[in-house]
Amino acid sequence: MTVASLRRRAAVVGAMLLLAPALLRAHAIHTTLTVLTSTPTGLTLNIRSFADDFSASVARHAGRPVPRDSSVRAEDVTRYVRDRFTVRDAAGRPLILEPCGVRRAGELYWLCFRTVQPTTLGNTILRNQMLTELHADQVNIVQVNDGTARRTRLFTRASAPVSP
């Protein structure tokens, strides 16, 4: 083996070692999880998303550069969620989602939103398109809990709005 080939191999191994931490941190599945709960005053959405994907989508939606630290601005989060997660009444009118918390825990964001108007699950229509603009294989899981039963709805880029 020549000195040149040893140097090439050392360079390849060095590059692999430098990239390994980033590859280990990357997640291979593109999902969000939302727990939608019916309360006496309306609906509450608790959304979990991977921080890197979520911050990239929120930044692009707001026309900002994607932050390296996966941070988000609260006002940008509100606009993004309202545009990408829609809740409509039986007549098709949008229900306003108000933020009730944004928390980062390591590589995850936990978001809370509530409907402003009182409503029940029986007369709503949902569509969750969060992060579908970022990943073609994005799957958004919505667990619907009305206090007596739990149902799961899956949303992809091609999903139509559905009743919970």
Side-chain angles (χ1 to χ4, degrees), residues 2-163:
T2 68
V3 172
S5 66
L6 283 174
R7 285 185 182 153
R8 277 192 298 271
R9 285 185 185 196
V12 169
V13 169
M16 289 172 64
L17 289 173
L18 287 173
L19 292 174
L23 293 173
L24 290 174
R25 284 192 309 271
H27 51 271
I29 189 165
H30 300 114
T31 64
T32 64
L33 170 65
T34 300
V35 177
L36 177 67
T37 307
S38 181
T39 68
T41 59
L43 305 176
T44 300
L45 291 78
N46 287 295
I47 305 166
R48 187 230 57 202
S49 182
F50 289 105
D52 56 349
D53 290 343
F54 185 71
S55 69
S57 286
V58 169
R60 289 178 181 151
H61 185 265
R64 300 184 197 284
V66 176
R68 288 184 174 179
D69 64 355
S70 299
S71 61
V72 293
R73 294 181 182 192
E75 65 274 11
D76 293 342
V77 169
T78 299
R79 278 193 295 279
Y80 179 78
V81 171
R82 285 179 176 167
D83 284 350
R84 305 299 292 170
F85 196 123
T86 56
V87 182
R88 297 183 180 277
D89 66 16
R93 293 180 299 253
L95 300 178
I96 298 169
L97 297 175
E98 284 297 319
C100 48
V102 175
R103 178 175 59 90
R104 180 151 179 202
E107 297 303 314
L108 298 174
Y109 272 108
W110 293 93
L111 315 169
C112 178
F113 281 83
R114 292 189 181 113
T115 58
V116 172
Q117 305 90 331
T119 190
T120 61
L121 284 170
N123 60 2
T124 57
I125 301 165
L126 307 174
R127 187 164 192 221
N128 184 348
Q129 293 294 289
M130 291 176 57
L131 308 181
T132 59
E133 72 282 8
L134 191 62
H135 299 295
D137 64 344
Q138 179 73 31
V139 176
N140 296 314
I141 304 162
V142 178
Q143 290 181 340
V144 181
N145 184 356
D146 65 5
T148 61
R150 184 184 299 177
R151 296 172 301 287
T152 301
R153 301 287 186 246
L154 299 178
F155 293 89
T156 65
R157 184 181 284 177
S159 294
V162 298
S163 178

